[in-house]
């Protein structure tokens, strides 16, 4: 038992500790015992020890006698007569050899034959010869197997005598009978060797009857012998004789081992004991012992109260078995006394021949305690043998425990080192129990009762008690061969005496009560830093008390104990918390800090974790969970105190006008949530006393507000420290994909992630609040991204709008010099198209935007935007109760195109761009410049946020390299949220105040506090910046594309240039013209040589700087620009008015399509060797516009009437498709072509085209899906737009164009109306509330 457990037993602790919970003291459970005086117990124990000395085998010694050799005479006793003692009781197990005896005997015989036997009488050659003859027969398998099975003494003795007789007869004459005496002598030596094997292996004490009969047999065999160890005698010589004589008893205590044990147990000296032996030696004789056995046998036959009777047993069968065994044991004991003192045989005839048959005696039913007048006076047996035995066992146990010379048993992994009874004490108790006729099980129970008393008096520990239980159950330690006095009857309780059963139950009950008191006292210290170990107590209870069938525990008593223990633990937990509170929280409220609450929480958590770990394997002790008792007591106390302290700290801080540091609030939240977690694990059904999130949410909002105020500075600092170069160690090294963006975008997203991770690491346990935190952080991320895009776009525009050296030189010229240079260039037909030289830094900025888009998409998935939105939606008010008013509105204005603009340049064209501004002349957006085009197409979008109606002004300007830019025209539009209540996109054709008109597509979304909205807005900002940067890059390249793919180049190629013949032919139109030969393939390809060289120069620097994604994006945009340029060569824009553009002839058309094929192959960039495409993918090259251009070949030279009929068929098919698709959510994009004006242009016709809303742009997945749907819509069904554009170059088709325009307006209006009705029905029959569907 551990030291702590031992020390926990303070004086009278077991008696008084549980009186408060209704348990009686131990003294009340002690059984009434007969008072035994120590002196009487000592004298009776001394008698038994002295009798053992008298009956021990006589010691023999060798003595040389010069007497003459006696005449050889034959033995008067046959071997069969000698074996009668064994044959009469051959079925008794006590006279059979024990298991394992044969192997030990074989080892001993081998030692004799090899000369290793220590006894001198076995070293004779003749003895070895007879033993060898027997050994051969003994080791035969059949005989050995039979002996292992039967283990009978007579079989072994007879086979030895038979083999010895045969061996000794060899070489003897028939008249020589000396070998017979020698055979008996050798058999005596063999019997002695058998006895030595029994004693050496401690089997003789288990089978005293067998040892006694073997000793008697040896004595009888030596009756005619004088000297077995003398060689002359054994050989029949007539010389001097060495005689083996019996050593007389000394009657001295020093020769009495058990007497010395008695003296040590009772604390007497050998002299005192010697005096008592000398005094009582005449009375304590073998004869008196024999008389006691005879008297006891008589009482047994008479069924007297002096012995056990049938009513002492539970079953008559048990009593009958006991009587039979008792009768046999009495016979053996009397036989042993007579063998020790053969003189007593004269007065005890018949005892040696056979045992007394007790089977015919009837059992009586008298009470053993009742007096029937029998004389029960014995010499060696006390009047109350059980009481005397218990007293002596207690004295022996106490002595051995305090004996310093007695070494404890070796400790094992399962049992500690213990000191119980010594071997000498066990021998004494066995001898006493045998002489006093106490049944073996009674000895065990009486010994356990003595141990029980020691335990109640706190003289022994739990480990000793456990060792005693193991001892009496017959569980000796490993490698311990010594036998105890344990009887197998311990497991067969039907053979127990009734008094033993009752006493055993009383012992278990008393021990249980004591152990429960110890357990209660020990558990009261379980919350201390070093708690006593309850394992020894629980082990004894579970393995020795509760598992014992004789013990029965009352459920009511166990429940009462559990209740008392639980209350006690709660009281201890309350005291422990009070000590923590005094230690960590000061008395002065003014000095309270969150630190105090945190430290108190850490102490509480540490204690709970310690108790949880301490009782991890056994969570409950007698039905009580110490952790539950602790948590149920200490956590509510802490929660209430923490709430009050935190509230008070916040109140004091508010009074002082101060703020508690945010980090203190976060640390407090972490500590409180740990405590709540422990509370939830132990008390899953009990709610935590207060809401931690509601109390500390303000700290998170303060942190978010601080982040929001710092986000712009974070972005500016990141940009300021960035040089926007690829991140390579060596400037000559080609950067990898991951090195092509600069550090600023990494820094800002590192800041975004740190901001979000700070909230995520809090493990906020309120889903709604967490979703709102993420929504606010999403807004901050969007603000940072918008700022980053704005600054990068400004720097990018500054780099892209810089002047070339030629432009800087022209800027330094006077106005007159500029006009003279312009006139000179015009006369020489020279267009100043100068290739633009890009900076690598500009491409790095585009890479940054691409990287930011991918990082934002990753962040969107990590934040789990959809889950946050679903949580907020789940907790939102019903639709009918929501506030319908939206404070902010986001208008998306797409500047699509313009028509019939005023020419402002001397070449009859303009370089238009559009500026959007509000009524206060604040610039809102600016488009790119479309050079030399009176029907430009921009397709650029801008988001405008407003809180109410807003008037916007669209001003078209003509860019001029020299001087101020010219105003082409203005138009205005009122953005009124009330006109966009259905949130459907609308298209407006606005007439300019000078000439021409401009098409705007307008859609509105309500800006709301929605995480999906904020991420969608951030994605839109990035994609728009990326698109604008890409368009700016392609615009720098498109000027040269337009120059190389112009009608002038086409005209020069087909007419071989301008000559005098061409001029004269102009004045002779009526003369027949000679057909111009078509240009060769080489000439057609050579016309694009400068363009391809220009592309190669620019693509080289792009390929070394741009990422693969950005590179494909730029080339895709450039391919679109090529297609737009090719398309402009072939047909004019779509309109309801005739065009002045001339239709190409067949040669020109063939050249244009050859250019298209060359450019297609160039952009696809297929490697000639490997066949692998390294350029723009085929699915991008083969866009809808590419297919529209390729279809022109089928209609380009068709007659006007045929084209009109084809257009009408397509129009009818389109109307039929629209009718069949009325049940769909949206109509095909072809039915809402923005080409025509009229009434729709005046009122803003709702468009059926899907709006690119912010909610559909909240991540790369939704953006990709929307793009795929748009692609499918564009490729769904053919339309007649290309035919209408061809008809614009046919003056005779003017009327049909106007009619077709009105028809398309009606179809678009009908489709829009169907859309409105459909969406109204989906919204529940009322007006749309502006809530977009969620994924």
């Amino acid at each position: 038992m551990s030291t702590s457990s031992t020390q926990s037993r303070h004086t009278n602790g077991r008696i008084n500790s549980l009186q408060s919970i209704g348990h009686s003291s131990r003294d009340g459970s002690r059984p009434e015992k007969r008072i035994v005086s120590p002196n009487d117990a000592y004298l009776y124990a001394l008698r038994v020890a002295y009798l053992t000395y008298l009956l021990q085998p006589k010691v023999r010694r060798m003595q040389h006698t010069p007497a003459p050799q006696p005449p050889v005479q034959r033995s008067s006793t046959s071997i069969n007569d000698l074996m009668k003692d064994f044959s009469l009781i051959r079925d008794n197990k006590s006279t059979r050899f024990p298991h394992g005896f044969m192997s030990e005997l074989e080892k001993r015989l081998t030692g004799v034959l090899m000369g290793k036997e220590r006894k001198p009488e076995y070293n004779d050659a003749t003895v070895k010869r007879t033993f060898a003859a027997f050994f051969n027969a003994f080791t035969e398998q059949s005989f050995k197997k039979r002996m292992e099975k039967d283990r009978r003494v007579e079989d072994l003795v007879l086979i030895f005598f038979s083999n010895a007789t045969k061996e000794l007869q060899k070489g003897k004459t028939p008249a020589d009978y000396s070998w017979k005496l020698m055979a008996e002598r050798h058999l005596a030596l063999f019997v002695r060797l058998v006895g030595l094997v029994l004693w050496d292996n401690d089997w003789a004490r288990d089978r005293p009857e067998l040892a006694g009969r073997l000793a008697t047999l040896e004595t009888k065999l030596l009756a005619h012998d004088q000297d077995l160890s003398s060689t002359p005698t054994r050989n029949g010589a007539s010389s001097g004789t060495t005689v083996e004589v019996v050593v007389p008893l000394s009657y001295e205590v020093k020769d009495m081992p058990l007497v010395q044990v008695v003296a040590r147990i009772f604390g007497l000296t050998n002299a005192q004991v010697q005096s008592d032996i000398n005094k009582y030696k005449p009375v304590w004789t073998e004869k008196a012992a024999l008389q006691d056995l005879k008297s006891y046998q008589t009482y047994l036959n008479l069924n007297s109260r002096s012995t056990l009777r049938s009513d002492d047993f539970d079953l008559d069968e048990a009593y009958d078995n006991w009587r039979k065994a008792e009768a046999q044991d009495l016979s053996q004991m009397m036989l042993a006394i007579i063998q020790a003192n053969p003189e007593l045989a004269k007065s005890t005839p018949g005892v040696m021949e056979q045992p007394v048959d007790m089977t015919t005696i009837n059992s009586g039913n008298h009470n053993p305690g009742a007096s029937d007048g029998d004389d029960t006076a014995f010499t060696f047996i006390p009047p109350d043998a059980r009481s005397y035995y218990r007293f002596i066992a207690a004295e022996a146990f106490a002595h051995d425990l305090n004996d310093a010379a007695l070494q404890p048993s070796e400790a094992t992994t399962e049992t500690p080192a213990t000191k119980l009874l010594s071997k000498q004490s066990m021998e004494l108790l066995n001898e006493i129990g045998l002489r006093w006729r106490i049944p073996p099980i009674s000895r065990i129970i009486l010994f356990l009762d003595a141990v029980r008393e020691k335990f109640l008096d706190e003289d022994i520990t739990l480990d000793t008690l456990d060792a005693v239980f193991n001892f009496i159950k017959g569980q000796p330690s490993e490698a311990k061969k010594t036998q105890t006095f344990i009887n197998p009857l311990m497991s067969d309780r039907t053979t127990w005496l009734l008094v033993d059963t009752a006493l055993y139950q009383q012992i278990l009950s008393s021990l249980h009560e004591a152990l429960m008191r110890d357990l209660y006292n020990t558990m009261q210290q379980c919350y201390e830093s070093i708690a006593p170990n309850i394992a020894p107590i629980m082990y004894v209870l579970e393995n020795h008390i509760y598992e014992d069938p004789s013990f029965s525990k009352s459920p009511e008593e166990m429940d009462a104990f559990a209740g008392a223990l639980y209350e006690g633990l709660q009281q201890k937990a309350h005291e422990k918390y009070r000590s923590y509170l005094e230690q960590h929280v000061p008395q002065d409220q003014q000095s309270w800090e969150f630190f105090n609450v945190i430290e108190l929480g850490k102490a509480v958590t540490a204690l709970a974790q310690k108790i949880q770990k301490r009782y991890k394997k056994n969570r409950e002790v007698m039905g009580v969970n110490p952790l539950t008792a602790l948590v149920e007591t200490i956590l509510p106390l802490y929660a209430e105190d923490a709430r009050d302290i935190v509230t008070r700290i916040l109140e004091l801080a508010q009074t002082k006008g101060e703020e508690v540091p945010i980090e203190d609030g976060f640390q407090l939240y972490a500590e409180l949530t740990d405590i709540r977690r422990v509370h939830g694990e132990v008390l899953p059904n009990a709610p935590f006393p207060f809401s931690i999130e509601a109390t500390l949410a303000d700290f998170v909002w303060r942190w978010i507000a601080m982040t929001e105020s710092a986000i712009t500075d974070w972005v500016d600092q990141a940009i300021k420290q960035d040089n926007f170069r690829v991140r390579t160690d060596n400037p000559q090294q080609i950067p990898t994909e991951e090195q092509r963006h600069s550090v600023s975008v990494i820094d800002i997203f590192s800041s975004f992630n740190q901001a979000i991770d700070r909230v995520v690491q809090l493990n906020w346990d309120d889903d709604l609040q967490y979703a709102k935190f993420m929504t606010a952080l999403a807004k901050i991320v969007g603000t940072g991204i918008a700022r980053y895009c704005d600054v990068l776009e400004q720097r990018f525009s500054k780099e892209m709008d810089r002047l070339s050296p030629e432009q800087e030189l022209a800027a330094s010229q006077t106005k007159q010099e500029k006009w003279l240079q312009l006139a000179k260039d015009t006369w020489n037909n020279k267009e100043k198209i100068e290739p633009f030289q890009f900076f690598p830094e500009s491409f790095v900025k585009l890479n940054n935007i691409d990287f930011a888009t991918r990082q934002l998409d990753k962040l969107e998935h990590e934040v789990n935007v959809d889950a946050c939105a679903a949580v907020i939606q789940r907790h939102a008010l019903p639709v009918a109760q929501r506030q319908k008013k939206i404070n902010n509105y986001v208008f998306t204005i797409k500047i699509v195109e313009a028509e019939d603009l005023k020419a402002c340049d001397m070449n009859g064209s303009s370089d238009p761009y559009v500026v959007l501004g509000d009524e206060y002349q604040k610039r809102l957006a600016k488009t790119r410049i479309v050079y030399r085009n009176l029907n430009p197409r921009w397709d650029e979008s801008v988001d405008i946020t407003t809180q109410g109606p807003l008037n916007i002004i669209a001003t078209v300007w003509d860019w001029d390299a020299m001087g101020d830019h010219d105003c082409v025209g203005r138009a205005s539009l009122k953005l009124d949220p009330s006109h966009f209540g259905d949130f459907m996109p609308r298209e407006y054709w606005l007439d300019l105040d000078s000439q021409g008109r401009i098409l705007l597509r307008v859609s509105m979304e309500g800006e709301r506090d929605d995480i999906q909205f904020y991420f969608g807005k951030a994605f839109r900002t990035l994609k728009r910046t990326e698109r604008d940067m890409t368009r700016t890059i392609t615009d720098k390249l498109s000027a040269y594309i337009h120059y190389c793919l112009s009608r002038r180049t086409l005209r020069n190629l087909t007419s071989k240039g301008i000559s005098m013949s061409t001029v004269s032919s102009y004045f002779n139109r009526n003369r027949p013209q000679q057909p111009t030969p078509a240009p060769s393939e080489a000439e057609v390809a050579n016309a694009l040589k400068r363009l391809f060289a220009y592309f190669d120069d620019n693509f080289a620097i792009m390929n070394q700087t741009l990422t693969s994604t950005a590179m494909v994006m730029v080339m895709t945009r450039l391919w679109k620009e090529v297609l737009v340029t090719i398309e402009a060569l072939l047909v004019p824009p779509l309109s309801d008015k005739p065009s002045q553009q001339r239709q190409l002839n067949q040669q020109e058309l063939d050249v244009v399509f050859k250019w298209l094929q060359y450019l297609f192959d160039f952009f696809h960039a297929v490697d000639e060797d490997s066949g692998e495409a390294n350029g723009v993918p085929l699915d991008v090259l083969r866009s809808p516009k590419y297919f529209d251009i390729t279809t022109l070949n089928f209609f380009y030279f068709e007659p006007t009437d045929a084209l009109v009929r084809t257009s009408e068929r397509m129009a009818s098919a389109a109307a039929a498709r629209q009718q069949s698709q009325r049940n769909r959510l949206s109509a095909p994009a072809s039915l809402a072509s923005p080409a025509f004006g009229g009434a729709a242009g005046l009122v803003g016709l709702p468009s059926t085209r899907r709006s690119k809303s912010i909610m559909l742009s909240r991540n790369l997945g939704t953006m990709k899906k929307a793009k795929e749907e748009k692609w499918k819509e564009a490729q769904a069904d053919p339309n007649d737009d290309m035919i209408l554009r061809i008809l614009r170059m046919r003056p005779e088709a003017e009327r049909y164009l106007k009619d077709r325009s009105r028809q398309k307006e009606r179809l678009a209006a009908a489709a829009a109306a169907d859309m409105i009705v459909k969406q109204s029905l989906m919204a529940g029959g009322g007006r749309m509330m502006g809530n977009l569907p969620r994924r």
Side-chain angles (χ1 to χ4, degrees), residues 42-43 45-57 59 205 248-265 268-282 284-286 380 424-425 427-428 431:
Y42 155 69
L43 290 177
L46 184 61
R47 299 179 197 190
V48 173
Y50 177 67
L51 179 61
T52 303
Y53 171 72
L54 295 178
L55 300 180
Q56 68 180 352
V59 179
R205 300 190 182 279
L249 297 176
S250 64
Y251 297 100
E252 295 180 3
V253 173
K254 64 181 181 66
D255 297 328
M256 305 176 186
L258 286 186
V259 172
Q260 296 177 21
V261 173
V262 173
R264 288 196 297 269
I265 290 175
L268 300 176
T269 62
N270 289 349
Q272 292 174 317
V273 176
Q274 185 69 57
S275 175
D276 291 333
I277 288 176
N278 295 335
K279 178 180 178 181
Y280 295 105
K281 181 169 62 174
W284 298 345
T285 62
E286 296 99 323
F380 291 92
Q424 294 79 9
S425 298
E427 291 178 0
L428 175 64
E431 195 65 30

Side-chain angles (χ1 to χ4, degrees), residues 1055-1073:
S1055 63
K1056 307 298 183 181
I1058 301 177
S1059 63
M1060 292 301 296
S1061 60
T1062 58
V1063 176
S1064 61
S1065 65
Y1066 175 79
F1067 295 99
N1068 298 299
R1069 296 179 179 178
N1070 295 327
R1071 295 180 183 180
Q1073 301 292 322

Side-chain angles (χ1 to χ4, degrees), residues 358-616:
M358 308 295 296
T359 58
T360 58
I361 300 177
N362 295 327
S363 300
N365 294 317
H366 301 288
N367 191 330
S371 175
D372 54 7
D374 295 336
D375 185 10
T376 58
F378 296 98
T379 302
F380 291 92
I381 304 177
D384 186 359
R386 292 175 60 90
S387 298
Y388 278 83
Y389 183 87
R390 182 190 180 282
F391 184 89
I392 297 172
E395 292 296 320
F397 183 59
H399 171 266
D400 290 345
L401 285 180
N402 297 322
D403 187 2
L406 178 62
Q407 296 297 324
S409 63
E410 294 184 3
T412 66
T413 56
E414 298 180 356
T415 57
T418 55
K419 292 174 59 175
L420 296 178
L421 291 175
S422 64
K423 182 178 180 180
Q424 294 79 9
S425 298
M426 290 169 57
E427 291 178 0
L428 175 64
L429 292 176
N430 280 331
E431 195 65 30
I432 291 175
L434 181 67
R435 295 298 169 186
W436 293 357
R437 307 312 304 149
I438 300 176
I441 190 61
S442 298
R443 307 174 202 171
I444 298 174
I445 303 301
L446 292 172
F447 173 70
L448 185 60
D449 188 41
V451 173
R452 185 268 308 266
E453 185 176 14
K454 295 291 183 182
F455 182 74
L456 294 182
D457 293 338
E458 302 182 9
D459 292 336
I460 61 175
T461 64
L462 267 176
D463 292 333
T464 303
L465 180 63
D466 173 51
V468 168
F469 270 109
N470 292 330
F471 180 73
I472 67 173
K473 290 178 181 179
Q475 302 174 1
S477 60
E478 296 182 1
K480 183 177 180 181
K481 296 183 179 180
T482 56
Q483 297 295 318
T484 66
F485 59 80
I486 304 305
N487 195 293
L489 294 176
M490 187 68 184
S491 58
D492 185 10
R493 306 196 178 193
T494 59
T495 62
W496 287 21
L497 301 178
L498 293 178
V499 64
D500 289 335
T501 302
L503 178 58
Y504 188 62
Q505 292 175 348
Q506 189 177 11
I507 291 171
L508 294 180
S509 178
S510 179
L511 289 175
H512 176 259
E513 186 176 352
L515 291 170
M516 294 296 278
R517 285 185 171 86
D518 283 350
L519 180 63
Y520 181 89
N521 291 335
T522 305
M523 288 299 296
Q524 295 304 299
Q525 305 176 55
C526 70
Y527 298 141
E528 301 299 328
S529 57
I530 302 177
N533 188 12
I534 66 168
I537 302 177
M538 296 303 300
Y539 180 84
V540 174
L541 284 172
E542 293 173 358
N543 291 275
H544 301 314
I545 304 297
Y546 295 149
E547 288 187 357
D548 198 295
S550 297
F551 178 78
S552 60
K553 53 183 177 180
S554 171
E556 293 78 12
E557 292 181 359
M558 300 303 296
D559 292 342
F561 176 81
L565 178 60
Y566 194 79
E567 292 178 1
L569 291 179
Q570 284 187 317
Q571 181 62 31
K572 290 295 182 180
H574 192 279
E575 295 174 1
K576 195 70 177 178
Y577 176 74
R578 288 291 116 193
S579 65
Y580 285 159
L581 190 64
E582 295 175 359
Q583 178 182 356
H584 296 290
V585 179
Q587 296 293 329
D588 184 15
Q589 296 185 7
Q590 298 294 330
S591 59
W592 282 356
E593 296 178 358
F594 279 3
F595 175 78
N596 304 127
V597 183
I598 293 173
E599 290 301 311
L600 179 60
K602 287 181 178 179
V604 170
T605 305
L607 178 60
Q609 291 175 346
K610 180 186 295 184
I611 300 304
Q612 186 179 29
K613 183 178 180 181
R614 182 175 292 171
Y615 297 96
K616 182 178 181 180

Side-chain angles (χ1 to χ4, degrees), residues 777-793:
L777 289 173
K779 183 178 180 181
I780 294 173
V781 170
T783 302
I785 288 176
R787 175 64 179 173
Y788 186 73
C789 291
D790 185 48
V791 176
L792 251 65
E793 199 167 10

Side-chain angles (χ1 to χ4, degrees), residues 1093-1108:
Y1094 180 62
F1095 281 162
D1096 288 337
D1097 292 340
N1098 286 281
F1099 288 171
I1101 186 174
M1102 290 181 188
N1103 194 39
Q1104 293 182 1
T1105 309
L1106 287 177
T1107 62
S1108 58

Side-chain angles (χ1 to χ4, degrees), residues 79 98 235 403 473 489 589 609 706 792 904 917 943 1088 1281:
I79 189 64
N235 295 332
D403 187 2
K473 290 178 181 179
L489 294 176
Q589 296 185 7
Q609 291 175 346
M706 183 184 68
L792 251 65
C904 298
D943 289 340
L1088 299 179
D1281 287 352

